[in-house]
Amino acid sequence: MINRLAIIGVGLIGGSLALALKGKGAVNEVVGYSRSEDARQQALDLGIIDKAADSLAEAVSGADLVFVAVPMGAMNSVFEGIADYLSPEAIITDGGSAKAQVVAAAKQCLGEKFKQFVPGHPIAGTEKSGPSAAFPTLYEKHRIVLTPVSETDSAATAKVKAMWQLTGADVFEMNVEHHDTVLAATSHLPHVLAFNLVGMLAERNDCDEVLRYAAGGFRDFSRIASSDAVMWRDICLGNQDAILSLLEQYHQGIKQIEEAIRNQDGDYLIDVFSRAKKARDSRF
Ligand code: NAD
């Protein structure tokens, strides 16, 4: 049972955790802090939090569990702002989408309390953001990855794991580098591609005419281009190496496909497309 849960960043990810734990009766009180006063008020009105704090210090004072769910670029300032106000036994965890940068920020700012920080990433989400996007079943049957480091207290990891399991999620552990490589491939690269495609079409003079005829395939591929720009800027800059390495690989693949189309090399296209189809069909 969590007595006082502090949610820093009451949006889709933080708000959904609060709603899920409240729904299970697993928390006595949820205190929320977001930079925007609007978000704080909305979170109160929607019953996501019981109390809106006016500062980071107020939010984490007396909390036994602190969940940081702000855009990655704001993690550093949040850790700096909470470090002096955490209870000695408080456990801190986060939901940031790339882990090396968050772990480095936590290590730099949390000092002695870094051992009570359990880095995490819920592999669940939507293209919507803010408190109104939060819903209690977001994490059900989804994967949560925890990336504890050598300093992380194993009892803290166990508590965070138990918390996520209460939401109906499956919890896995991975090392930080492996997490950032895997997520660059399955999440970060696809978002970059979708943003690029939709952005490219939006530049055309005949964009409205072109998109009027968009069907299911385009909608499926482009849905994630509706995601929040600040969040994705931060993820791209925060997971730079892994994303750049995949983009290089992607460029090479696209160049080969371009060559094959130019040369009417149907065999090459059949080979690439059927290998991709087989890989996808066997997994999803
Ligand atoms: P969101 O925009 O819905 O919510 C973020 C909240 O943080 C907002 O309420 C905002 O007011 C607040 N905030 C922003 N800067 C702040 C600051 N400096 N101090 C305090 N509060 C601040 O975003 P989200 O989708 O909930 O994402 C939160 C985190 O979760 C991000 O780090 C993101 O990488 C990660 N994540 C997102 C998804 C997804 O699909 N959206 C999935 C997994 C992980």
Side-chain angles (χ1 to χ4, degrees), residues 251 253-263 268-269:
H251 281 307
I254 280 286
K255 271 200 185 117
Q256 280 168 301
I257 289 177
E258 190 184 324
E259 271 306 286
I261 294 174
R262 184 170 297 115
N263 299 331
Y268 182 82
L269 297 180

Side-chain angles (χ1 to χ4, degrees), residues 38-253:
D38 257 15
R40 296 201 293 260
Q41 190 56 48
Q42 234 186 324
L44 260 183
D45 295 345
L46 292 166
I48 295 172
I49 56 175
D50 303 309
K51 188 174 170 221
D54 290 327
S55 65
L56 287 169
E58 187 190 336
V60 301
S61 297
D64 41 357
L65 210 143
V66 176
F67 182 53
V68 183
V70 297
M72 296 225 322
M75 292 279 181
N76 206 80
S77 65
V78 166
F79 291 139
E80 255 172 20
I82 63 173
D84 291 341
Y85 303 96
L86 293 163
S87 315
E89 67 288 349
I91 291 171
I92 313 109
T93 185
D94 79 301
S97 301
K99 302 311 319 164
Q101 192 194 46
V102 178
V103 169
K107 192 167 186 165
Q108 190 196 318
C109 304
L110 294 179
E112 256 298 285
K113 288 165 187 144
F114 178 62
K115 63 181 189 309
Q116 282 148 254
F117 173 66
V118 182
H121 177 207
I123 317 285
T126 72
E127 71 282 13
K128 306 265 180 0
S129 53
S132 61
F135 58 100
T137 53
L138 174 65
Y139 302 116
E140 262 175 32
K141 297 192 171 60
H142 281 77
R143 292 183 174 160
I144 309 295
V145 179
L146 301 181
T147 61
V149 294
S150 55
E151 294 96 323
T152 315
D153 177 39
S154 55
T157 305
K159 281 197 182 149
V160 172
K161 183 175 179 181
M163 173 194 80
W164 279 115
Q165 282 169 335
L166 282 172
T167 70
D170 294 325
V171 187
F172 295 80
E173 283 185 33
M174 258 186 212
N175 77 43
V176 169
E177 294 71 25
H178 186 56
H179 169 278
D180 288 359
T181 306
V182 169
L183 269 293
T186 53
S187 172
H188 308 167
L189 180 68
H191 276 80
V192 171
L193 302 183
F195 281 127
N196 184 55
L197 175 71
V198 178
M200 182 189 95
L201 296 183
E203 290 296 302
R204 290 170 63 119
N205 292 333
D206 61 351
C207 169
D208 289 340
E209 172 66 2
V210 167
L211 293 188
R212 185 185 309 166
Y213 298 101
F218 184 82
R219 281 169 197 274
D220 288 349
F221 186 80
S222 67
R223 178 182 62 81
I224 52 179
S226 291
S227 302
D228 185 68
V230 170
M231 184 174 113
W232 282 96
R233 173 202 64 191
D234 290 355
I235 292 170
C236 287
L237 301 181
N239 198 17
Q240 183 187 37
D241 292 347
I243 296 175
L244 284 179
S245 146
L246 280 161
L247 273 173
E248 200 178 313
Q249 221 179 311
Y250 193 84
H251 281 307
Q252 284 167 11

Side-chain angles (χ1 to χ4, degrees), residues 10 36 100 130 133 204 220 270 278:
V10 199
S36 113
R204 290 170 63 119
D220 288 349
I270 287 284
K278 195 171 157 200

